[in-house]
Amino acid sequence: MKVKAFIVYIALGIAFAAVSLWVLLSRGKSARAIRTKYRLGGAMIAAWAILSAASCEGPGPFVTCYEPVIQNGAVIYLKDHNDEAINNGDILLVNIYGPTFDRYRVKIFTTERTEPLQSETFEYTDKSLGVATFELQLSVGDYKGTAPYEVFGLTVEDGKEVELSVDAGAFTVE
């Protein structure tokens, strides 16, 4: 569809250039040449709109060019959305939008943020999606309350593993 619309647009552009030359050679005195130039100009605008709309891809059943910008960062939520309460042993999904690292580490802390209650490292292999998704089984023992988390991208500098913060947030363990 895009190629056909583009070919039509190119053909209209060539015709528009030829009619513009006709208007120029008639010194603007040919009403028919001017009318034809306006019609071709309108057809070019319509073809450009069709070409622009055909290049848009949007979520859902409709097409839109006004897609929201994908956030960079991480979101952690329950795998099973039926229950809002997060408990020890639940499976959490970690979505990292705009991933730029091959490995990530998620650390879950207490409110004092001293030693992490849980730390998990993940490998990001499927780079075609634009979102890295990992499953994490929550294992925080008897801890209840707000559990801040931080997601790190892992890289190696001077032979040492370095954690670079990607995002942080918190959830409540009941």
Side-chain angles (χ1 to χ4, degrees):
M1 178 68 181
K2 296 177 194 177
V3 175
K4 289 179 184 177
F6 192 69
I7 290 171
V8 168
Y9 189 75
I10 295 295
L12 286 171
I14 292 170
F16 185 80
V19 171
S20 295
L21 182 63
W22 179 19
V23 170
L24 184 67
L25 292 176
S26 70
R27 297 179 193 223
K29 294 184 181 183
S30 172
R32 184 174 174 192
I34 292 174
R35 229 180 3 256
T36 305
K37 183 177 176 183
Y38 281 132
R39 286 183 180 162
L40 283 172
M44 286 178 66
I45 291 171
W48 187 258
I50 290 169
L51 183 63
S52 295
S55 66
C56 296
E57 296 175 9
F62 53 90
V63 175
T64 176
C65 286
Y66 301 102
E67 295 179 45
V69 176
I70 294 177
Q71 305 172 8
N72 287 332
V75 177
I76 295 180
Y77 57 91
L78 273 171
K79 183 176 181 181
D80 183 15
H81 295 286
N82 296 335
D83 192 8
E84 292 297 320
I86 297 176
N87 298 305
N88 192 33
D90 284 345
I91 303 291
L92 302 176
L93 288 179
V94 180
N95 282 347
I96 300 171
Y97 298 97
T100 54
F101 296 95
D102 292 334
R103 295 179 48 212
Y104 287 91
R105 181 169 293 142
V106 176
K107 290 185 179 181
I108 300 171
F109 298 93
T110 63
T111 51
E112 290 82 33
R113 293 188 65 94
T114 53
E115 289 295 315
L117 289 169
Q118 184 175 359
S119 178
E120 299 283 337
T121 303
F122 304 100
E123 298 267 340
Y124 175 56
T125 55
D126 187 6
K127 302 198 191 275
S128 65
L129 299 176
V131 176
T133 302
F134 309 110
E135 287 189 5
L136 166 72
Q137 183 169 9
L138 187 61
S139 176
V140 293
D142 294 334
Y143 183 76
K144 305 246 187 266
T146 302
Y149 67 85
E150 192 161 2
V151 179
F152 298 95
L154 302 177
T155 185
V156 176
E157 292 178 7
D158 298 328
K160 294 181 183 177
E161 187 175 72
V162 178
E163 295 178 338
L164 300 172
S165 181
V166 172
D167 202 1
F171 54 85
T172 303
V173 180
E174 294 182 3

